[in-house]
Amino acid sequence: MNGLSSSPVRGSNGTLNNGNGSKVITVDVNHIKKKICINNDSTIQLLFDTVCDKLHITEKKYFALSEQIYDEHNAPIDRFLDFQKTIEGEKITSTSEIKFLAKHIKRPIEFKDPIAEELFYKQIQYNVIKEIYPCSEKLAVLLASISLQITFGDFEPAKHRVGYLNKVGLDNFLPRAVSRHDYAYWQERLFALHVNHKGLSKREAIRKYIELASTIPYFGLTFFEVRDDGGTDLLIGIGEDGIFFFNSQNLKLVHGVPFDCLISWQESELGFDISFEEKEQLHSVSILTTPIKQCLILQLVDEYYALLPDKQKSNKKKPHNPTPILPNDASMYLEPIQRIFNARFSSRLEYLKGYYMECCALGKETPIKKFYQDIDRAIDNNEILRNIDWSYSGITDSNITFFTKSIMKTLDYKQDKNFPWKEDLEIETIDLSGNNIRQGLAWILDLLIRLKKTKGIDLSNSPVGDNGAMELTQSLTTSDIRTIKLENCEIGNKGFQAIFEMMKWKKNARSLMLGKNLITSQYFSDFAKFLDSNTSLVELDLSYNSIDSKGIEMVIKSIENNRKIQKLNLSGNILGPKTGLKIASLVEVNHTIKELRIAETKITGEVLVKLGRACRTNRALEVLDISGNIIGKNIDKNLIHEAWFFLSQENAVMKELNIAGNGIDAIFGEVFVDSMRLNKSLTILDVSNNNMITKNGSLPEGWNEAIRKCTSLEVVKFSNCGLKASGFLDILSAVSSNPKITELHIGDNDPKEGLKGFSTFLTNARVKALYLNNLKITDDIFEKIGIALEINQHLEHLYLNNNEITKNGIFDFISHIGKKNSTLTTLNISNNTITEEEKVFLSKNIEEKTNIDKVLM
């Protein structure tokens, strides 16, 4: 049987044999065990051929067999077997650790055999994830995403989501040092890159992986622990391009000797000697090692030299063995890689993440996920990080330095000019809103002084106060910041005065947002003078302060001739009819303002009419928010028509209109919709919190037709409009007939039997966001919604908060939607009849059994 036996029996020592001097050899092929029964006098070549037959490999010449042995430090090394020797001659036993490997890690010109190609890829991948070839986090993640393409094919949103890799294990794709933290996040990050490989066949992806892996500085190196003649421990790496010496503790390159510098490599009594030429000077190095490693190292150097293209060889070289026996030759391979060793950090962002994470670890502070995610995303996509988002991150006076110090240290870091480097941090905006910073504001100011190119700062919803605002102005004066957002910051008149006095010297400030503060009209005479002369400000937000009509009128007077301001928000200040009319007069003469917000300012129908007349000739105003006023009270039908006539004009430009909460009745609604039916510009319409229904609980005649035919509409809001069943169903029918509408708000109504219409609506509608809060939706309706979503592949966000859904309804919903729906990503079922204990269990069920990413309970 040519040395092979097929009927092994178990001997008295427990090993397998056939009683004929044969034994069972276990061969590890990429960690899959193959058992081969073979005679002791059979050659290694026969054992190798038998393994190849089992693997159905046709291109054998790239591979060999090795025995894994252990050196004096118990480190594993591969002793490659001689094909000409016998099993017995190589002292192979049934307990020997035999591996099927590519001995020479060089890039083949082309694999014709896909099985051989995949085995070669798997060997390289194993070396990457086991950090035999350590690489940067960025490259490790990119390589892992290509492995996903190789393993699973094209990215499928419904399938490849967080949790999908739980059973497979991230450590099959990523180095352990990279993936050991935040398991869910790494899956999210990998799948974000997996998308980019769509269309790559398995073989194309394998080749891409190998090509990228070859850029790792340690690619293809076989490592041995040795010493120099001074007794210093070193790690020597032998590769296709030469010999490299590393610090044995941190793998930092000590010295590299490429083949074009190498002159000779010969064995010595205690190891081996190499000589090489560098900068026209001859150098010699003596290496101390054991006899077995001496043999393996010199053999590898000989073979890699023999596999060089002829043009890279020289008669001046003195190999240890000039003619090693090889099954392969140089013609099979691409030219050797150009090995480049990188510094620890190869970009500004890599340093920032490393320093920040180290600070958090030392300070026992939990890293802000969205911050390091933004850094990772920029690194992965080779982008420049321009916007820093630290909003609502729990930042206080005690931990602000973790952030500011990380940025300043990163800016100060001096890169090693001998290594590749990328400048990928150019901070243009910083969002620190929603934190609790008082004394720590000084650190932010120091940072702003350093950031000469930053153009926007947001400290909204933070207790800045007058003192903080005055300190802030000192930094802003010398900076390039153009957008200042300080909403709800407890700023009073002194802080306000300091801000606009500072802005007199800033000729490039574009946005000043000071809503929800403690500002009165005290300094508005001076502020108005500032506005008179300012030529840069395009956005001004003074909403929800305590500014009286006199102060607002000063602002209006200044803006009449100011042709720069495009966005003006005066909401929440008491204007009244008189000042409201002056606002309307402003719209008549100033055709620069594109966005006007005067919600909750006590303006009346008289102001509405004048505003409407102004909009007939004003071709600039695109956004108008007059919600929370009393424009619907005691207004004549003819005046209503006159107010809204501008909407019916052929050249109307209004895109967003908010008239919610204005006491609008059915008559007002009927006249309004006459103009609305002819409109071709509106994209967002909000009529919520108006009781404009007829006696049967429907909207006035004409609304259904307007919703159907207004092809510009994208968002419609009918929350809390008193809608009964018929009116509710009419709106659902109209919205489902308009494919342009992507967002519908229809909560806080009283549809009762009309809820049954959801099945038909969801079957036909193309809305992406649906708000159904406080409609008394029960389990049976929720189940029907689930049934409809088996078919609907448009809805992405569903809001069902404040209803009457129980755990039973949620289970029924899950059973129907399952994995069939691939679009729904957000589900809000907060404030339903679900206990705290049930919430944990139900959230887990939704996450595991559906494709929904975000569940709010």
Side-chain angles (χ1 to χ4, degrees):
M1 295 183 66
N2 297 323
L4 296 176
S5 173
S6 59
S7 304
V9 297
R10 194 168 297 279
S12 58
N13 63 353
T15 60
L16 288 172
N17 60 66
N18 68 355
N20 244 345
S22 64
K23 60 188 67 174
V24 172
I25 305 296
T26 302
V27 181
D28 183 319
V29 183
N30 283 319
H31 315 291
I32 297 173
K33 308 298 183 184
K34 300 287 184 182
K35 291 187 179 294
I36 309 291
C37 187
I38 192 166
N39 292 334
N40 283 331
D41 58 359
S42 298
T43 62
I44 298 298
Q45 180 72 60
L46 180 60
L47 176 61
F48 175 78
D49 290 341
T50 305
V51 175
C52 290
D53 289 344
K54 282 181 173 287
L55 297 173
H56 306 293
I57 287 182
T58 56
E59 282 188 300
K60 304 177 183 180
K61 53 193 174 182
Y62 295 104
F63 300 95
L65 292 176
S66 78
E67 179 190 14
Q68 184 167 290
I69 58 177
Y70 298 87
D71 68 8
E72 69 276 17
H73 305 292
N74 206 34
I77 53 177
D78 289 312
R79 180 182 74 88
F80 282 89
L81 305 180
D82 188 335
F83 279 5
Q84 306 306 313
K85 291 185 178 180
T86 64
I87 301 295
E88 187 173 31
E90 283 284 20
K91 298 181 181 179
I92 302 303
T93 69
S94 296
T95 58
S96 297
E97 298 179 51
I98 307 300
K99 295 194 292 183
F100 183 90
L101 294 172
K103 183 178 183 182
H104 307 111
I105 303 300
K106 294 172 63 70
R107 298 167 302 157
I109 292 175
E110 181 185 12
F111 273 110
K112 294 182 174 61
D113 178 3
I115 298 173
E117 186 172 46
E118 185 170 359
L119 286 172
F120 186 72
Y121 146 72
K122 285 183 176 179
Q123 184 174 332
I124 292 170
Q125 189 215 22
Y126 178 84
N127 288 344
V128 171
I129 63 178
K130 294 302 178 184
E131 297 180 272
I132 297 168
Y133 303 158
C135 64
S136 67
E137 181 182 296
K138 174 185 177 179
L139 185 52
V141 172
L142 179 56
L143 289 170
S145 71
I146 299 172
S147 288
L148 293 183
Q149 181 72 18
I150 294 167
T151 306
F152 303 116
D154 285 348
F155 174 78
E156 295 180 36
K159 181 194 295 184
H160 300 137
R161 305 169 67 250
V162 172
Y164 185 77
L165 299 177
N166 287 358
K167 291 182 180 179
V168 181
L170 268 180
D171 53 3
N172 283 305
F173 299 96
L174 280 170
R176 177 67 178 161
V178 174
S179 67
R180 64 175 177 261
H181 304 297
D182 203 342
Y183 209 78
Y185 167 59
W186 284 108
Q187 294 191 52
E188 183 182 321
R189 186 175 174 187
L190 285 183
F191 286 133
L193 288 173
H194 182 190
V195 177
N196 299 334
H197 309 307
K198 184 177 181 180
L200 279 183
S201 69
K202 182 175 182 176
R203 294 194 70 181
E204 287 171 336
I206 284 174
R207 289 164 191 167
K208 185 174 183 179
Y209 187 101
I210 294 169
E211 191 61 32
L212 275 172
S214 71
T215 65
I216 298 172
Y218 307 94
F219 175 79
L221 294 179
T222 303
F223 295 99
F224 301 90
E225 293 185 61
V226 298
R227 287 183 177 179
D228 64 16
D229 54 5
T232 302
D233 289 330
L234 295 170
L235 203 61
I236 189 172
I238 312 301
E240 63 171 327
D241 51 337
I243 302 173
F244 301 87
F245 297 97
F246 303 93
N247 183 301
S248 61
Q249 300 300 314
N250 57 21
L251 211 57
K252 185 175 181 180
L253 181 68
V254 175
H255 204 91
V257 185
F259 277 119
D260 58 359
C261 296
L262 201 56
I263 294 174
S264 69
W265 51 99
Q266 303 293 331
E267 65 181 64
S268 66
E269 185 177 350
L270 298 176
F272 60 92
D273 299 328
I274 66 169
S275 62
F276 58 95
E277 189 175 1
E278 199 172 79
K279 295 180 180 179
E280 299 182 353
Q281 289 188 344
L282 191 64
H283 303 271
S284 296
V285 177
S286 294
I287 298 300
L288 310 180
T289 189
T290 61
I292 182 66
K293 285 196 278 190
Q294 174 203 62
C295 176
L296 295 176
I297 291 169
L298 291 173
Q299 183 184 72
L300 263 182
V301 179
D302 286 335
E303 291 173 355
Y304 272 126
Y305 179 71
L307 291 172
L308 285 176
D310 288 340
K311 64 182 180 181
Q312 294 185 26
K313 296 176 184 176
S314 168
N315 293 330
K316 296 179 181 179
K317 310 286 185 186
K318 296 179 181 179
H320 170 254
N321 178 6
T323 56
I325 300 172
L326 291 168
N328 44 1
D329 59 69
S331 66
M332 297 162 48
Y333 299 103
L334 296 171
E335 291 200 5
I337 56 175
Q338 298 297 309
R339 199 179 301 274
I340 299 173
F341 287 91
N342 297 317
R344 182 185 174 190
F345 303 106
S346 58
S347 77
R348 195 72 60 184
L349 280 182
E350 287 182 20
Y351 180 88
L352 173 59
K353 184 180 179 185
Y355 188 90
Y356 171 66
M357 298 299 274
E358 188 175 337
C359 281
C360 290
L362 292 173
K364 297 181 180 179
E365 184 79 15
T366 302
I368 301 302
K369 184 176 180 179
K370 65 179 175 181
F371 178 42
Y372 66 72
Q373 279 185 320
D374 286 345
I375 295 173
D376 288 340
R377 194 175 297 112
I379 291 172
D380 290 345
N381 296 324
N382 293 311
E383 296 173 345
I384 295 172
L385 183 63
R386 302 182 189 278
N387 304 308
I388 300 294
D389 184 1
W390 291 330
S391 62
Y392 297 91
S393 297
I395 301 175
T396 63
D397 294 338
S398 63
N399 64 4
I400 181 63
T401 55
F402 284 99
F403 302 90
T404 56
K405 190 176 180 181
S406 294
I407 296 291
M408 288 196 279
K409 284 289 185 181
T410 300
L411 296 175
D412 290 337
Y413 179 72
K414 303 295 184 184
Q415 73 273 20
D416 190 330
K417 294 183 179 180
N418 295 317
F419 297 101
W421 178 260
K422 181 177 181 180
E423 291 292 351
D424 50 8
L425 179 64
E426 295 180 10
I427 301 174
E428 294 182 358
T429 66
I430 300 177
D431 188 349
L432 272 159
S433 59
N435 292 295
N436 188 23
I437 307 166
R438 291 180 185 271
Q439 301 301 321
L441 190 62
W443 288 98
I444 298 171
L445 303 183
D446 287 344
L447 178 61
L448 292 178
I449 291 171
R450 289 290 310 278
L451 298 172
K452 300 297 184 183
K453 295 183 179 180
T454 301
K455 294 177 173 58
I457 179 71
D458 187 351
L459 286 164
S460 300
N461 300 304
S462 298
V464 175
D466 279 344
N467 290 336
M470 288 187 282
E471 289 178 23
L472 183 62
T473 58
Q474 297 174 23
S475 298
L476 297 180
T477 302
T478 58
S479 73
D480 193 34
I481 287 178
R482 304 173 187 187
T483 298
I484 304 165
K485 194 169 184 180
L486 296 167
E487 297 179 352
N488 192 26
C489 287
E490 302 175 11
I491 295 172
N493 293 325
K494 289 185 178 180
F496 173 59
Q497 183 188 35
I499 290 169
F500 74 73
E501 287 291 343
M502 171 273 297
M503 292 186 71
K504 289 179 180 179
W505 302 98
K506 284 188 71 63
K507 303 302 182 182
N508 57 357
R510 294 179 61 81
S511 298
L512 178 60
M513 287 166 272
L514 296 169
K516 298 180 182 178
N517 279 295
L518 308 173
I519 301 168
T520 70
S521 302
Q522 182 177 353
Y523 296 114
F524 264 62
S525 177
D526 291 337
F527 179 61
K529 290 176 183 177
F530 156 70
L531 288 179
D532 275 333
S533 59
N534 182 273
T535 58
S536 64
L537 205 62
V538 297
E539 182 174 13
L540 177 62
D541 182 353
L542 296 170
S543 61
Y544 297 95
N545 279 282
S546 300
I547 307 166
D548 61 23
S549 57
K550 185 178 179 181
I552 295 295
E553 287 176 16
M554 291 180 187
V555 171
I556 294 169
K557 185 67 177 173
S558 297
I559 296 177
E560 279 183 1
N561 299 314
N562 186 312
R563 292 294 183 263
K564 288 293 182 179
I565 290 181
Q566 299 175 17
K567 296 181 180 181
L568 179 62
N569 190 347
L570 299 172
S571 298
N573 295 293
I574 307 304
L575 307 185
K578 181 184 173 184
T579 306
L581 289 171
K582 292 189 176 183
I583 290 278
S585 297
L586 174 65
V587 175
E588 286 178 338
V589 297
N590 186 314
H591 291 189
T592 306
I593 297 173
K594 293 183 177 181
E595 184 176 308
L596 176 63
R597 299 186 185 275
I598 47 174
E600 299 182 50
T601 53
K602 296 191 181 299
I603 62 171
T604 60
E606 182 184 8
V607 176
L608 170 67
V609 174
K610 189 165 184 178
L611 269 173
R613 288 171 180 160
C615 287
R616 295 183 191 182
T617 55
N618 187 315
R619 294 287 172 265
L621 194 61
E622 297 177 349
V623 177
L624 179 61
D625 181 358
I626 51 175
S627 61
N629 285 296
I630 47 177
I631 63 171
K633 187 177 180 181
N634 301 323
I635 183 170
D636 180 80
K637 188 174 181 179
N638 291 328
L639 290 176
I640 299 170
H641 176 76
E642 191 170 344
W644 297 115
F645 176 76
F646 77 92
L647 288 176
S648 64
Q649 290 178 300
E650 185 70 26
N651 53 3
V653 295
M654 187 74 65
K655 293 181 179 179
E656 180 180 338
L657 178 61
N658 188 344
I659 55 174
N662 264 293
I664 294 172
D665 59 16
I667 294 174
F668 189 112
E670 185 177 347
V671 178
F672 172 83
V673 83
D674 278 341
S675 295
M676 174 68 194
R677 277 187 294 190
L678 300 173
N679 182 268
K680 297 177 182 178
S681 64
L682 276 180
T683 60
I684 301 174
L685 175 63
D686 189 351
V687 295
S688 301
N689 304 315
N690 286 303
N691 192 21
M692 60 180 182
I693 58 169
T694 61
K695 290 181 180 179
N696 67 353
S698 300
L699 290 173
E701 185 179 352
W703 272 93
N704 299 332
E705 181 188 355
I707 295 169
R708 281 187 171 92
K709 292 186 176 180
C710 188
T711 55
S712 60
L713 266 184
E714 296 174 6
V715 179
V716 287
K717 301 181 181 182
F718 294 102
S719 300
N720 193 26
C721 284
L723 294 167
K724 304 297 183 182
S726 60
F728 193 82
L729 290 170
D730 284 344
I731 289 178
L732 293 183
S733 175
V735 170
S736 65
S737 299
N738 188 337
K740 295 290 185 179
I741 296 177
T742 59
E743 186 174 317
L744 172 62
H745 297 242
I746 200 168
D748 288 297
N749 286 295
D750 188 25
K752 293 180 181 171
E753 293 299 311
L755 292 172
K756 295 179 180 178
F758 274 129
S759 297
T760 304
F761 169 71
L762 286 172
T763 302
N764 301 313
R766 297 193 177 189
V767 292
K768 294 182 179 181
L770 184 58
Y771 292 76
L772 306 174
N773 48 295
N774 198 22
L775 292 175
K776 298 182 180 179
I777 292 173
T778 56
D779 288 345
D780 61 327
I781 299 298
F782 191 35
E783 181 182 7
K784 289 177 182 176
I785 291 174
I787 293 170
L789 289 176
E790 291 181 33
I791 301 170
N792 184 299
Q793 296 296 321
H794 299 285
L795 191 65
E796 297 175 5
H797 311 285
L798 178 59
Y799 296 84
L800 290 157
N801 43 304
N802 297 91
N803 281 292
E804 299 173 1
I805 300 166
T806 72
K807 66 176 182 180
N808 295 328
I810 294 173
F811 281 130
D812 290 337
F813 175 82
I814 292 171
S815 69
H816 290 295
I817 190 174
K819 297 285 185 179
K820 299 170 188 173
N821 183 291
S822 61
T823 58
L824 189 64
T825 59
T826 304
L827 176 64
N828 186 340
I829 45 177
S830 57
N831 297 320
N832 277 275
T833 51
I834 307 166
T835 67
E836 291 300 319
E837 290 181 358
E838 291 170 343
K839 287 178 183 179
V840 176
F841 178 73
L842 290 169
S843 292
K844 186 177 180 181
N845 263 262
I846 294 172
E847 180 183 325
E848 292 178 351
K849 296 179 180 179
T850 73
N851 293 319
I852 299 170
D853 287 328
K854 187 177 181 181
V855 182
L856 302 173
M857 283 196 180

